[in-house]
Amino acid sequence: MIKHTINLKERSYPIYITTSFQELGRTVLSLRTGKKLIIVTDQNVDRLYSEECVKEFEENGFEVYKHVLVPGEEHKTLDAVYGIYKKLIEHKLDRSSTLVALGGGVVGDISGFAAATYMRGINFVQVPTTLLSQADSSVGGKTGVDFDGHKNAVGAFYQPKLVFINVNTIKSLPKREVSAGLAEVIKHGLIMDEEYCDYLNYNAQKILAFDENVLQYLAKKNVSIKGQVVEQDEKENDLRAILNLGHTIGHAIETVQNFTLLHGECVAIGIVGAFKLSYYMNILPETVLEQVKSILLKYELPVSLPGMDVEKVYKQIYHDKKVKDSQLKFVLPKRIGEVFQCTIDDTALLKRVLNDLAK
Ligand code: GLY
C-alpha cells in the first residue's frame, strides 16, 4: 500500500493507494472515531462494492449504515443532501461518527457537503471509485452541489480525514468514463509536470490496459501534483485556480450541452481552447498545440465539438463563477508543464477560438 500525506497543518490527511478494499476497515479504524459509520454511495457503485466495504467495516467493529443516491450530475442537488441528513438523524449519527463517500465525483461532492454541514461537521472519508475522483475531486476538500442551473454554486471547503484509493475499481468503468477521467490526469501534466506529460504521451497503451502498477503510479503522481497545489492554496485564493486549466470553456460547454457530455470530455475541449488562446497570443508555437491534441486523441478524448453553439457557450462563459467584476479569468499554458493566469477582454479572440472548436 502506498501512502501519501496532504500537509495542511491540523487538517492534514493520508491518502492510501492500493489494489483492493482489504485494509479499508483497518485504516478507517486508525482514525479512532466513534463506532457509527455511514456509507453514502450511488445505485451503480452500490451493486459493485458496497457489500465488500460493509464487511470490511463490520469486521473492524463499526456499526454500519448505508444511503444510496440516484446517480448522475443532474441529481447533485440540495434534495440529495436533504436525504442524507434525514438518514443521519434517523440513525442518530453524531459528531464522532464517520461518513464514507463511496463512488465518483458526484457522490463525493454531495456527501462531502452533507458531512461538512451536518452538526457543523462530522468525520469524512473519501473512497473514490472513478478515475476522475481518484485523480482530482477526492483530494483537496471541495464539496458542494449545483443550484438552479449553476454548477457547484452551494458548497464548502471540507477536507476528508482520509482518502482510500483502490485503483482496480477503474476496471469496472465504461471506456468513455475512463477516457474522461484521463483528461484531468493529462491536465496535471500540462500544468506542472512536462515529464509526466511525456509519460502519458508514450504509455497510452499500457495505461488503457489497466496494468495495476501503472495505475498505482498514476494515482500517486496525481495526488502528489494536486496535493502540492492544495497545500499552497487550500481555498483557491490564487494558485489553486491553475487546476482549472480547460475548465472555463469546459464548464460552459458542459452546461450548454445539458450534461450530455462528460465533465472530462468538456475539459479536454477546454484544454484545446486554452492552448489555442496561447497560440493566437504568440505565447507558444502551433506544434505544441498539435502535440497536446495528439495526446488527448490517444485517449479518445474530443478536441473539438463540431456544430457547437458558439454564442450560447460564449454567454455561458460570462455566467461562469470565475467572472469577477466582469473580467474573465483564464488559466493559459506558457509551455507544456507551466501555466499562468490572466484576464482576457478580447472578445474577438475568444470567439475565434470558440469558432475553431465548433468546426
Ligand atoms: N478540481 C479543481 C480543484 O479541486 O481545485
Side-chain angles (χ1 to χ4, degrees):
M1 194 149 66
I2 302 168
K3 184 179 175 193
H4 180 87
T5 303
I6 302 292
N7 291 305
L8 289 168
K9 299 195 179 123
E10 67 283 1
R11 290 180 309 289
S12 297
Y13 52 95
I15 299 177
Y16 295 99
I17 300 165
T18 182
T19 54
S20 76
F21 286 116
Q22 268 176 32
E23 308 284 320
L24 173 61
R26 194 183 60 78
T27 49
V28 175
L29 188 66
S30 72
L31 294 174
R32 298 176 191 278
T33 59
K35 287 286 167 216
K36 284 194 179 184
L37 177 151
I38 185 161
I39 296 175
V40 179
T41 186
D42 72 20
Q43 289 158 352
N44 297 331
V45 181
D46 184 40
R47 277 191 288 275
L48 296 167
Y49 308 121
S50 276
E51 202 180 317
E52 208 178 331
C53 294
V54 168
K55 192 162 159 262
E56 264 291 316
F57 290 128
E58 284 180 346
E59 280 175 4
N60 282 278
F62 287 101
E63 182 182 324
V64 186
Y65 299 95
K66 189 175 80 172
H67 182 73
V68 183
L69 299 165
V70 182
E73 177 79 30
E74 65 276 29
H75 300 290
K76 200 173 116 174
T77 61
L78 283 173
D79 283 348
V81 179
Y82 182 91
I84 300 175
Y85 292 152
K86 292 269 280 183
K87 198 54 105 30
L88 295 172
I89 286 177
E90 183 191 340
H91 296 295
K92 299 188 174 58
L93 274 85
D94 61 25
R95 294 195 68 209
S96 73
S97 310
T98 302
L99 189 156
V100 177
L102 173 69
V106 173
V107 168
D109 283 4
I110 298 171
S111 34
F113 185 62
T117 46
Y118 179 70
M119 292 191 172
R120 300 195 181 90
I122 62 170
N123 303 300
F124 180 45
V125 169
Q126 288 262 25
V127 184
T129 58
T130 62
L131 185 52
L132 186 125
S133 57
Q134 294 182 0
D136 182 29
S137 58
S138 67
V139 179
K142 278 191 180 174
T143 73
V145 293
D146 303 336
F147 185 80
D148 225 2
H150 299 275
K151 207 169 148 57
N152 299 326
V154 178
F157 284 100
Y158 193 65
Q159 300 296 340
K161 287 269 187 299
L162 180 151
V163 181
F164 188 96
I165 299 177
N166 166 7
V167 294
N168 276 326
T169 55
I170 304 300
K171 295 181 181 168
S172 63
L173 296 174
K175 204 163 166 272
R176 187 176 160 203
E177 217 177 293
V178 175
S179 291
L182 281 156
E184 298 282 1
V185 174
I186 294 165
K187 179 198 79 181
H188 282 150
L190 295 173
I191 60 172
M192 55 193 271
D193 194 332
E194 189 175 8
E195 221 175 281
Y196 188 37
C197 242
D198 284 344
Y199 178 85
L200 296 168
N201 191 15
Y202 295 116
N203 292 283
Q205 263 185 347
K206 257 208 234 163
I207 292 168
L208 292 171
F210 300 137
D211 177 283
E212 259 179 26
N213 292 326
V214 172
L215 290 181
Q216 288 187 95
Y217 170 73
L218 288 195
K220 167 82 180 150
K221 276 302 266 186
N222 291 325
V223 300
S224 61
I225 291 174
K226 177 137 191 200
Q228 270 178 61
V229 176
V230 169
E231 283 165 0
Q232 291 174 68
D233 178 21
E234 183 185 0
K235 299 213 168 148
E236 199 169 316
N237 292 315
D238 185 29
L239 179 76
R240 184 164 176 168
I242 68 170
L243 294 168
N244 294 330
L245 173 70
H247 283 60
T248 307
I249 294 176
H251 270 165
I253 294 177
E254 201 176 352
T255 308
V256 167
Q257 296 299 121
N258 262 325
F259 300 100
T260 50
L261 287 177
L262 299 176
H263 175 72
E265 293 172 333
C266 299
V267 168
I269 301 167
I271 287 174
V272 176
F275 274 82
K276 267 185 187 283
L277 280 166
S278 282
Y279 163 55
Y280 287 145
M281 290 161 80
N282 288 322
I283 293 165
L284 47 78
E286 192 171 16
T287 45
V288 171
L289 165 65
E290 291 309 320
Q291 196 184 337
V292 169
K293 276 164 76 173
S294 117
I295 300 175
L296 294 167
L297 287 169
K298 279 186 186 166
Y299 293 98
E300 291 176 26
L301 283 159
V303 294
S304 65
L305 184 58
M308 173 177 95
D309 188 330
V310 169
E311 280 309 316
K312 267 195 179 170
V313 173
Y314 178 78
K315 280 202 189 114
Q316 189 61 42
I317 287 175
Y318 274 91
H319 273 94
D320 196 285
K321 68 175 163 46
K322 286 170 211 78
V323 181
K324 282 189 190 141
D325 303 326
S326 75
Q327 289 190 318
L328 192 55
K329 278 205 155 176
F330 268 85
V331 179
L332 294 185
K334 267 192 193 158
R335 59 176 184 87
I336 289 182
E338 190 180 353
V339 291
F340 68 105
Q341 298 182 57
C342 72
T343 302
I344 291 194
D345 45 23
D346 185 342
T347 305
L349 173 67
L350 184 52
K351 286 209 175 160
R352 182 179 176 196
V353 166
L354 293 178
N355 274 309
D356 281 358
L357 295 175
K359 278 181 198 152

